Structure formats: structure tokens, C-alpha cells
Amino acid sequence: MSKESKKIILLGPQGSGKSTQGEVITEYFDIPSVSSGNILRQAIADDTPLGRKVAPTVNKGNLISDQDMIEVILEELKKDKYENGFLLDGFPRNIYQAEALAKHYTIDKVFNIEIADETAIERISGRRICPEGHTWHIEYEKPQEAGICDICNGNLTQRADDQEEVVKKRLAIYREKTAELLDYYKDRLVIIDGEPPIEVVKRSVLDYLENNNVR
Ligand code: AMP
């Protein structure tokens, strides 16, 4: 990857540690990340017209319409802060979205953080989040006081779409569509094993960047 190539996509099932691994990449290149899920959750929390439109779908764990999602992401990417690139997390989710993106941007690398479904379910159903978006886990990343965020003292709750049954559905949807995306991006795909502890996975992402990059 050359110094200029900084348009990156991060794939991986929910619970693969994508946002943590994404931070390694965004810090390395000094680029912002764009999480489609966060944009939608923020719109829902702010009760915007978009939020009201997508809330029932997002809360059930289904994908919102390609048209709406593409519009939201392309609008977001026009902002000045993405001038030197971006890391996309959660978008594209299927070939149709990938093709819409390709009309405007050339993607340099696609990282796929891979984990087994059982690992994903265990990790996600234990996840708890505060109103400011700090994330904890009832087993792997416990806050000092159960149910309270160490950082902002906010109450921790479970995202509606993090409940086990919903997670299973989201995973099934993810598997079905991602298979075709992996094929679509096969010439720029980097596969990372997401099963080991977070620090080990971080190291493999960083190793890849350091060994394959001209800074
Ligand atoms: P995530 O945090 O990426 O799992 O996204 C949470 C939810 O937002 C998903 O379950 C979908 O309802 C919606 N969503 C996020 N990204 C997309 C996308 N690329 N296409 C359609 N719906 C999406």
C-alpha cells in the first residue's frame, strides 16, 4: 500500500472486534472511520427523520434499504474530514452497495476479521453500552461497578439488536451477503484471524500494515 492509498473497508461479523481493530488502522494512517451502524444509531437517538424511518428495521436486526444506506454514506463521505481517506466499517454489506461506492471511490484494501459464529454470539450477547457509546463486556471487559460506565458514569444497557436471537439473525444475514463481497474484493483482500485475544489480533493487523506499507 502506498502512502496515498488510504481508502479502506473493514469487514467482519459483529463481535469480531472490528471497531478495535479499525482503530489500529485509522491511527496508523491518521484517517477517520465511518461506521454505518453508528450513523444510524445516532440518527435514532437524535430522533431525526432518518432515525424515525430506520429505527424499526435496525432494532429488529434487519438491514435498511440499500438506497437509503448508500445515500447516507455518500453524503457523509463528502465531508472535508475524509479528504485524505477513510475506513469504512459496516458498509458495504452487499455487492449492490459495493458497486454504488465504486462509482465514487477506489478502495485500496479490504480487511476481513474472521471469527466463528459461536465466538461472535458469546462476545456480542455480553456486550453493554452506555449512552455515550463506550462499550463494555460482562465477562471480557468488565466495568469496575456492574452496570455503570467507568468513563462517564452512564448506565450500561444492552443494544436492542445485541440480544442473542437478534444476533443470530444478523450473523446469518452477514454470512450470506459477505461471501459475495469477499469474492468481489478478492484482489485487495487481507484476511485476519479474529479468534485470538484482542491484543494478538491488533498485533497481526499492525504487522500487516508495517510489512506491506511504504510510509
Ligand atoms: P452494525 O453496527 O454495523 O451491526 O449495524 C447495525 C444495524 O444498522 C444493522 O443491523 C442494520 O440494521 C443497519 N445497517 C448498518 N450498516 C448497514 C448497511 N451497510 N446496509 C443496510 N443496513 C445497515
Side-chain angles (χ1 to χ4, degrees):
M1 250 187 302
S2 78
K3 202 174 168 187
E4 288 76 34
S5 59
K6 289 176 185 165
K7 296 190 189 68
I8 298 170
I9 290 174
L10 191 54
L11 298 175
Q14 299 79 8
S16 59
K18 245 187 323 163
S19 48
T20 310
Q21 308 314 333
E23 278 168 26
V24 175
I25 301 172
T26 54
E27 274 169 29
Y28 187 83
F29 289 115
D30 195 20
I31 50 173
S33 69
V34 187
S35 154
S36 51
N38 281 352
I39 294 177
L40 299 179
R41 278 187 290 277
Q42 191 61 52
I44 294 171
D46 294 345
D47 201 26
T48 65
L50 170 72
R52 283 195 289 277
K53 183 173 180 190
V54 302
T57 313
V58 172
N59 290 337
K60 277 191 222 123
N62 291 324
L63 294 182
I64 71 161
S65 80
D66 286 333
Q67 214 46 52
D68 285 343
M69 194 71 249
I70 289 165
E71 216 177 288
V72 168
I73 291 290
L74 291 180
E75 202 48 46
E76 175 71 18
L77 292 179
K78 282 184 193 156
K79 293 181 182 167
D80 288 348
K81 64 174 174 175
Y82 302 114
E83 226 169 45
N84 294 323
F86 49 77
L87 176 112
L88 279 171
D89 172 356
F91 182 94
R93 287 276 227 279
N94 56 39
I95 299 275
Y96 186 78
Q97 295 182 2
E99 283 173 345
L101 182 68
K103 285 188 190 137
H104 300 268
Y105 302 95
T106 302
I107 300 302
D108 304 291
K109 281 281 169 205
V110 177
F111 285 82
N112 181 34
I113 318 276
E114 195 43 68
I115 53 166
D117 281 0
E118 304 82 78
T119 315
I121 293 164
E122 194 188 330
R123 288 184 185 171
I124 300 179
S125 44
R127 188 156 72 176
R128 298 293 180 269
I129 188 164
C130 76
E132 290 190 11
H134 306 123
T135 306
W136 303 89
H137 193 282
I138 53 172
E139 219 167 296
Y140 309 122
E141 217 180 348
K142 293 184 186 174
Q144 296 201 349
E145 192 183 333
I148 306 285
C149 176
D150 283 4
I151 301 168
C152 67
N153 275 328
N155 282 326
L156 298 179
T157 53
Q158 188 177 40
R159 262 168 54 180
D161 60 348
D162 275 357
Q163 289 160 29
E164 188 168 332
E165 284 318 303
V166 185
V167 171
K168 284 184 180 161
K169 185 162 84 183
R170 285 164 67 204
L171 278 172
I173 297 173
Y174 175 82
R175 292 286 178 208
E176 187 194 325
K177 295 295 176 192
T178 312
E180 51 188 49
L181 269 188
L182 296 181
D183 189 53
Y184 181 85
Y185 288 124
K186 60 177 180 284
D187 59 336
R188 47 211 127 149
L189 191 62
V190 182
I191 296 174
I192 304 280
D193 177 7
E195 289 283 342
I198 268 183
E199 289 307 317
V200 178
V201 184
K202 269 187 173 174
R203 191 63 249 170
S204 27
V205 173
L206 210 49
D207 280 349
Y208 177 86
L209 293 171
E210 282 167 356
N211 294 328
N212 292 277
N213 195 36
V214 190
R215 273 264 230 196

